[in-house]
Amino acid sequence: MKSKQPTVCVFGIPALIALLCISTLHAANSAPEAWPHWRGPDDNGSSTSGKYPVKFDANAGVLWKVTLPGKGCSTPIAFDHRIYVTAPIDDKDAVESYDWSGKPLWQTPVGIQRPGKSNNGSGCNPSPTTDGKNLFVYFKSGNLAALDLSGKILWSTNLQERYGKDTLYWDLGTSPVLTEKAVVIAVMHHGGSYLAAFDKLTGDLLWKISRDYSTPTEGDHSYATPIVYRQDGNEAILVWGAEHLTAHDVNDGHILWSCGGFNPDHHSNWVCVASAVICGEIAVVPYGRNTQLHGIKLGGAGDVTASNRLWERDDTGSFCPTPAAYKGRVYLLRDRGEIVCIDPLTGKTAWEGKMPRKSSSYYASPTVADGKLYAAREDGMLFVAKIDGGFEVLSQNDMGERLIASPVAVGDRLLIRGESHLFCIGEK
């Protein structure tokens, strides 16, 4: 794959800040061995601690595996040696917990499920999230709930009963995110898109704002997950969808700044599937069904479309997998297995590589840990590649069932959620 020189606009960003890829800041402090959100402790798909295995399969290297009660595509989370995952039970949305040895702790139904319609989707696509005190889950059905860590429901509501069903073509995939006070949900589809914040303790609606933009067909559909980060020392919510990257105040949801211009030629069906990733002071945004990649400087006020776009490329990107950020670089996993290492400051390609090709695609987002990239292919193959100092495929690991969820690297263990089982991989 040829790498096209990106269009670059250089701003007065201090060199130290630009070259360092600092971790995204959060309201909650994660435990040392924790993967508390869909994309990990820093919402960037990577872990900077631990040693993780290279060679394993559905039987070899498995510390334990459990049979899940139903099909779900959500990524598990882990906190304080407890694992939480969503899956349907008897046609109900539900969440389950396991201890560090794989022993089932509890199962809690939340409400009637709305099944998935895609072979690569389910009614349990959104991942749980935790602040270490309570657990928050969201489903395609619109069910949103808070539970304590023993599985007791603290409060629940249904967003589709309150505000109308989504109009997405495919299965809802946006995961909930947490601020200091609220659990926040982004609902982005054609007509009536909104961002809503609910009190974490009571479930009371704190605020709800409209987020509608006029786009070509399907451009206003988004499956991306927001990111909570800090701007000028304060929490803010970064939202990607409807051809706009927007930052919102956590107190009332109002827009702090907005960046557009992602589809100047008005292409139809450029739906947002992959989420943005933050690396240092830059948001790297994939778009255009594998064809677009943009680097947006965070911060400012009002419309920053002209001022904050550092660079843009029209020769690479990712459609389904969300990029990972690790040690100052951003790593793209494209749908057909190409890996592209990007300098987030300039948008230039540092190196490229390819996983072994097959007709199957990559829907799961990549995970980076211990200097290695873990990439799950839909047919059940999980690849491990070296990325420090260049690219080399180290192993191909057959998990024996479809893989749509992202691998989790936590506490020297890999948690791999398949279509039927949850695997824990590690050294005995």
Side-chain angles (χ1 to χ4, degrees), residues 62-66 81-83 98-105 413 415 422 424:
V62 177
L63 292 177
W64 52 262
K65 71 176 181 179
V66 295
H81 294 95
R82 296 291 183 268
I83 300 158
Y98 302 88
D99 72 10
W100 210 232
S101 65
K103 176 185 175 182
L105 297 175
R413 298 181 175 193
L415 300 177
L422 176 63
C424 180

Side-chain angles (χ1 to χ4, degrees), residues 6 198 283:
F198 300 85

